[in-house]
Amino acid sequence: MSTIQIVSAPPYQEVTWHQINWAKCHRTVRRLQARIVKATQENRRHDAKTLERLLTRSFAGKAIAVRRVTENPGKHTPGVDGKTWSTPESKSAAILSLSRRGYKPLPLRRVYIPKSNNKMRPLGIPTMKDRAMQALYLLALEPVSETTADLNSYGFRPERSTADAIAQCFIALGKTKSPQWILEGDIRGCFDNINHDWLVTHIPMDKVILRKWLKAGFIDKQTLYPTEAGTPQGGVISPVLANMTLDGLERELAKRFKRTERMQRVHQVNMVRYADDFIITAKSKELLEDEVKPLVEKFLMTRGLELSKEKTRITHIEEGFDFLGQNVRKYKDKLLIMPSRKNIKAFLDKVRGIVKGNMTIKQEGLIDFLNPVIRGWANYHKHIVAKKTFQSVDHQIHKLLWRWVKRRHPNKGARWIKEKYFTKVGNREWMFSLKRIQQDTGETLPVRLLFKATSVKISRHIKVRAEANPFDPKWETYFEKRLDIKMVGDLGGRRKLLYLWKEQDGICPICHEKITSLTQWNCHHLVERAKGGLNKLNNMILLHPNCHRQAHSQGLKVVKPAPQKGL
């Protein structure tokens, strides 16, 4: 791997952000998390509690917690105090400020975001310090939650995704003799109604700190309101608290409908959950109505929750149901999973909003706005039966863009408009693109193309193994192989980035941690371009954004790794 000169972290009281040895911090945290997993697996709760306390008081844990909240998308969003940590000095001071003694969280700042049903979803925005404290305690709580989680829970969990949940739906419903009836479950106001007393009693973390977070209140229109129930949407630790609240339902079902081979054939009860949305299968409608649904309602009632009467219903597989933006339905004993009509409409409405909101923008600007939206939507659906849907969506977008260019040139003919805004690329005749004419040859080259949904290859998703734990060292090799496959898929259309990622084995040479779509990356030039360095692959390497800033501020020398075989 790459070699690098880096200064070790200075004494705790004199910490400087860009001198922190991140590789050492990550090793320390991973080692403690692995020990927490082992203690939890062996039911040594006292030892796990001691290790959690050690992690939350460690310098490494505090540094990584601050780094997490200052690198995520919400880093520029302040809480009620109006403060953000945008400078190395403020981040260094933040590490020293994270202490249990004397800690008192400030109220949340209430904001509202629109939901798909035109209602507003309330979010609670904590201050930066409260976010960092939550991220710190999350480092200790997440290994416990992953060890005790339901096997088929996929929402807000590391190394799990909606694609895994949909793949499990196919496993549960795809066979000829699979169950025919599905209970579509939706919990009414899950985050807002969880019972505080239940959380404090059953969540294995510092009770004093947890109660302070739950009772912090929120400020809406300059008025302070108390919080009597729920965990706020917007908090770093809230998704894990909600998951741990719902964990155990799958085990209750397995206990009630014992998972022997014979009983499984009789009842065919399976559960798939993503956050607070879930489905439960069964052999008959009566079984779901008379036994499964009452069991679920009783389980939720003890936690202060209840099913939504409007959204919870029992459906036959031939009628089909929507789950996570995709429609699951059987057609003559063949299960097909396709993008749902509601999801397609929401996507096209978003595209129309972008185009209509930018009627006078330059062509390259419109392409830059549309490409990430189209690419993200297509990649979300690339594991299911979506080829015809992609073709239809591309056609709708083409018609929308044709109206956009016609409006800009009402006095021009169709041929002139086509030559100006569209070009031929391979077998595709109508590619919306910005063009450039080479001076020496006179050849027209597309320099910026609109992304086509049909350019995304349909590929089967390999579901994560239900018992796999990303904090357990024995699963490390398994998750590394999955990451390799995922990054090849994510970077498949960006060959230079994929080459660089493979060349350095997906490792950031400064902190020695994996570079993923979640952590993001920057391209670092080994010889700065201002000093004559070329924008070529042999002069580039991928670094984490924070590591990139550290390399420049400290003048660190990063060395290109030796090329691997097959590259």
Side-chain angles (χ1 to χ4, degrees), residues 144-196:
V144 180
S145 70
E146 283 298 304
T147 305
T148 60
D150 283 344
L151 294 179
N152 289 303
S153 163
Y154 298 98
F156 302 119
R157 294 182 61 189
E159 309 300 338
R160 284 166 169 77
S161 65
T162 53
D164 293 305
I166 293 297
Q168 181 60 29
C169 288
F170 187 86
I171 292 172
L173 298 166
K175 297 178 182 178
T176 304
K177 295 184 179 180
S178 293
Q180 301 292 303
W181 291 94
I182 299 96
L183 171 67
E184 300 175 62
D186 185 272
I187 301 171
R188 186 179 68 83
C190 178
F191 280 85
D192 299 326
N193 296 304
I194 302 174
N195 185 279
H196 283 178

Side-chain angles (χ1 to χ4, degrees), residues 283-301:
K283 191 171 185 177
S284 68
K285 183 177 182 179
E286 292 73 24
L287 182 63
L288 289 174
E289 288 179 337
D290 300 337
E291 297 189 49
V292 173
K293 189 176 179 181
L295 185 151
V296 173
E297 291 173 337
K298 182 180 178 181
F299 176 88
L300 295 176
M301 188 182 300

Side-chain angles (χ1 to χ4, degrees), residues 44 46 49 82 97 121 151 165 176 225 248 256 295 369 377 409 419 439 467-468 520 546 549:
R44 293 185 284 112
H46 177 74
K49 186 176 179 180
S97 71
R121 183 191 303 278
L151 294 179
T176 304
Y225 296 91
R256 172 65 182 82
L295 185 151
F369 279 135
W377 183 83
H409 305 283
E419 290 179 355
Q439 298 296 330
E467 67 276 15
Q520 293 298 302
N546 186 73
R549 291 189 290 270

Side-chain angles (χ1 to χ4, degrees), residues 421-432:
Y421 289 97
F422 298 88
T423 188
K424 183 177 180 180
V425 179
N427 295 326
R428 296 175 181 263
E429 185 73 28
W430 289 78
M431 293 295 290
F432 188 72

